Amino acid sequence: GGKETNRQANLHYQDFYKTSSNPNLFDNNWTAPKDVYYNQNDFIRQGSFFTTNLTYTHSFKDKSKLSVLGQYEYSVLGGPVDDQNLVENSTQVLLHVKNTETSPLNSFRAQADYSAPLRENLKLESGLQFRYLDQKGDFEYLQEDMNTGLYQNNPLFSDHLNLLQTIEAAYLQVNGSKDILTYNLGLRGEYMRRSLADQLSATTSDYNKFDIFPTAQGLLKLKKDQKLKLSYNRRIDRPTLKLIAPFKIQEHAEAIEYGDPNAKPEISDN
């Protein structure tokens, strides 16, 4: 599949400067703006996607079940940004840049799940999973020479990245019920290896970590139609390529993004 979105921002800027040994930024007594300009920012976000998977399931005579999954995904995200600053109420161009981003991604996931009844109202679930991700990022920042009209690559905002990430995981879960109580108790362990190669600085940033994710849920039937539910789980949110990109990314006149190659995943307990 594919998707494309277009966005245009038209912004008017007035840049004020205040220099002092102890400036009061909340004082409205400002001098005239130093810079006044109009910014036009055209952003086209493009994406193409391809996913295929193969699933096999087998049920045994003892009512246990085995499921195996293999999945491959390929996607390309990116798009050009055309950004220019003009003198207010004029066609004179002060700055004109073109920023192109291309981030092809290849990923593979293999998973095996097994479930078996232990006794009446009690079932055991377990599984293994392997995930592989290879994502590249090409960021090209071209700035127009106002004298010649030619575009030149600005190395401060251009780079090539390669992210390799693998995750090996295993889980165990027990589902059961007794009298008025229904419960689920589980534990998942994940080991992640992440390697980010940065062409600009000719460095590689590695991050390896093992995490444990417990989960628990209980449902208690009370009087009549009343029920009480309690649950707990731990989740993980891993940073995207842009968040760990160790160079300056400028897509707007007023904003420069800079990633942290040592950024850790965010873990939340709910």
Side-chain angles (χ1 to χ4, degrees):
K3 184 178 181 180
E4 179 177 304
T5 58
N6 302 307
R7 189 267 299 148
Q8 183 181 86
N10 300 295
L11 306 170
H12 298 268
Y13 285 95
Q14 292 184 341
D15 292 345
F16 294 87
Y17 298 83
K18 181 177 290 189
T19 303
S20 172
S21 58
N22 188 22
N24 182 5
L25 300 179
F26 298 98
D27 183 6
N28 292 326
N29 185 22
W30 293 84
T31 58
K34 182 178 180 181
D35 297 315
V36 179
Y37 58 92
Y38 165 71
N39 173 256
Q40 185 178 72
N41 185 280
D42 295 312
F43 179 38
I44 301 176
R45 186 67 173 176
Q46 300 168 329
S48 58
F49 315 90
F50 171 79
T51 303
T52 183
N53 62 72
L54 179 65
T55 304
Y56 170 79
T57 302
H58 181 77
S59 298
F60 299 92
K61 293 181 179 180
D62 60 357
K63 296 184 179 181
S64 61
K65 185 170 67 174
L66 175 67
S67 299
V68 180
L69 167 70
Q71 178 177 291
Y72 170 75
E73 176 186 351
Y74 174 76
S75 65
V76 179
L77 300 176
V81 176
D82 193 307
D83 187 82
Q84 57 180 342
N85 295 341
L86 300 92
V87 175
E88 189 72 50
N89 300 320
S90 172
T91 58
Q92 180 184 351
V93 179
L94 300 173
L95 175 69
H96 188 195
V97 298
K98 293 183 178 181
N99 183 7
T100 302
E101 172 195 344
T102 306
S103 301
L105 179 147
N106 287 277
S107 69
F108 172 76
R109 177 163 65 102
Q111 181 175 329
D113 299 286
Y114 176 77
S115 63
L118 300 180
R119 61 172 185 266
E120 187 178 359
N121 298 328
L122 186 64
K123 184 172 72 171
L124 175 68
E125 296 181 357
S126 61
L128 300 172
Q129 186 180 107
F130 173 77
R131 281 179 280 173
Y132 171 83
L133 181 145
D134 181 359
Q135 184 177 12
K136 295 176 173 59
D138 291 301
F139 302 87
E140 186 177 34
Y141 188 91
L142 300 176
Q143 185 169 336
E144 182 181 358
D145 188 317
M146 294 295 102
N147 295 320
T148 64
L150 300 177
Y151 287 89
Q152 298 178 345
N153 183 280
N154 188 331
L156 293 177
F157 302 101
S158 302
D159 202 356
H160 174 78
L161 304 175
N162 189 14
L163 172 64
L164 293 176
Q165 181 173 283
T166 61
I167 298 174
E168 299 152 14
Y171 78 91
L172 190 69
Q173 181 170 304
V174 176
N175 306 322
S177 62
K178 184 175 178 59
D179 298 329
I180 61 173
L181 175 65
T182 302
Y183 60 89
N184 303 318
L185 299 174
L187 185 66
R188 186 177 85 255
E190 290 188 357
Y191 185 75
M192 182 187 75
R193 297 180 179 91
R194 186 182 75 195
S195 178
L196 177 67
D198 175 24
Q199 186 183 58
L200 183 66
S201 61
T203 60
T204 300
S205 301
D206 296 324
Y207 179 80
N208 303 323
K209 184 73 180 338
F210 177 75
D211 290 295
I212 293 179
F213 302 91
T215 180
Q217 179 175 294
L219 181 64
L220 189 65
K221 296 181 180 179
L222 304 177
K223 297 179 180 180
K224 296 182 180 180
D225 295 331
Q226 296 180 344
K227 296 180 181 179
L228 177 63
K229 182 178 180 180
L230 297 175
S231 64
Y232 164 79
N233 65 74
R234 173 175 289 181
R235 299 179 181 272
I236 186 169
D237 185 15
R238 295 180 173 88
T240 61
L241 180 62
K242 266 193 173 183
L243 292 178
I244 59 177
F247 74 101
K248 298 176 182 177
I249 301 175
Q250 183 172 16
E251 294 182 351
H252 307 277
E254 77 283 2
I256 295 179
E257 301 176 12
Y258 194 96
D260 181 4
N262 299 311
K264 299 179 181 179
E266 179 182 342
I267 295 179
S268 59
D269 294 279
N270 303 298

